[in-house]
Amino acid sequence: MPLSNHAYDFSVDALFLDFDNTLVDLAPRPESVLVPPSLITSLQRLQRAAHGALAIVSGRPLEQIDHFLTPLRLPAAGVHGIERRSADGRMTQLPAPSIERLLAHLNPLVTQHGGLLLEVKRGALALHYRRAPELEQACVQAMTAALRHETGFALLRGKMVVEAKAADADKGSAIAAFMQEPPFIGRRPVFIGDDSTDEAGFAWVQSGGGLGIKVGPGDSLAHARIASAAAVRAMLAQVLQ
């Protein structure tokens, strides 16, 4: 359903936001995304209005989130929840499986094809093929084969990326952990995300009466939809006006 069909009030809701293709537009390489200064202003205003109950929930590591959102240092979950910073600054890290054998298996494919990129994270490994979309099947097959004899990982399909992540971490569990802590506790959770990696978050927030908002096209569990990252930025800028 269109977002306009739903009531929301970010002064009383707990707001959780994915990063790529939700707050910022996708770029050919993860490090190339651009953060408009107006987005930083909107997030600062929303954080104040929500009395701090605003968090980023991303597949990126926390250090990347902090880099792109400088000077903000928001509550955030990184690498799909394997690392999480509470509103009071406390860090929680889940056990991380070793990615060394995955790297050894996938490096030859990446070396052979210059359009591929391996993104190394704590307990996760993402194989990006945005610059070589014709290699999608080869990337999926290679990651599937690499995981065949590994334990502790789950395979995720995203937009022009296939990722091995820690099986015990997902965005729904990360949001659930935030909702047990101030200033999120007792509020209605709202989660905005764009990809299959966000579906666990949509499922969790809606199971307790919250709202999932899907960015862009595609099948989703989310009860509401918004057109694009640009539309999300416009909504965040306007919601407190």
Side-chain angles (χ1 to χ4, degrees):
M1 288 186 179
L3 183 58
S4 58
N5 289 356
H6 292 266
Y8 54 90
D9 181 353
F10 294 149
S11 66
V12 296
D13 291 335
L15 180 59
F16 300 96
L17 299 163
D18 178 38
F19 185 74
D20 291 281
N21 208 39
T22 296
L23 291 178
V24 298
D25 299 322
L26 290 176
R29 297 177 66 89
E31 67 272 20
S32 302
V33 298
L34 299 176
V35 179
S38 59
L39 174 62
I40 302 296
T41 301
S42 296
L43 293 175
Q44 288 172 324
R45 294 176 63 231
L46 283 165
Q47 187 187 32
R48 288 195 298 268
H51 306 287
L54 181 151
I56 307 299
V57 181
S58 174
R60 287 183 182 263
L62 291 184
E63 63 181 0
Q64 291 185 18
I65 296 169
D66 290 344
H67 166 74
F68 284 112
L69 296 182
T70 299
L72 293 179
R73 190 175 171 85
L74 298 170
V79 197
H80 309 285
I82 200 169
E83 52 186 26
R84 191 174 66 86
R85 181 174 61 231
S86 300
D88 62 4
R90 178 171 48 88
M91 289 292 301
T92 302
Q93 292 190 331
L94 300 180
S98 172
I99 63 169
E100 295 305 315
R101 287 188 297 271
L102 296 179
L103 271 173
H105 190 103
L106 294 168
N107 268 327
L109 178 67
V110 176
T111 300
Q112 182 181 358
H113 299 283
L116 300 181
L117 172 68
L118 266 180
E119 183 184 6
V120 177
K121 313 175 192 181
R122 180 178 175 270
L125 189 64
L127 178 56
H128 296 266
Y129 50 89
R130 180 165 300 280
R131 296 191 300 161
E134 72 280 5
L135 294 176
E136 175 181 6
Q137 184 176 2
C139 290
V140 173
Q141 289 175 342
M143 184 66 80
T144 301
L147 289 173
R148 191 163 292 136
H149 301 294
E150 298 293 327
T151 59
F153 289 98
L155 187 147
L156 281 180
R157 296 286 305 274
K159 291 179 178 174
M160 298 292 182
V161 62
V162 58
E163 182 168 0
K165 72 166 187 69
D168 293 337
D170 65 60
K171 293 185 179 182
S173 298
I175 294 171
F178 279 121
M179 291 299 296
Q180 299 300 312
E181 304 168 349
F184 302 93
I185 192 168
R187 290 172 170 252
R188 182 184 74 148
V190 175
F191 178 44
I192 308 178
D194 76 296
D195 208 347
S196 57
T197 59
D198 300 309
E199 292 298 314
F202 297 147
W204 191 90
V205 299
Q206 291 172 171
S207 69
L211 176 63
I213 302 173
K214 163 78 169 178
V215 181
D219 294 338
S220 178
L221 297 172
H223 290 169
R225 193 176 294 267
I226 191 167
S228 64
V232 172
R233 294 193 295 271
M235 179 190 71
L236 297 181
Q238 294 169 4
V239 72
L240 296 178
Q241 293 181 359

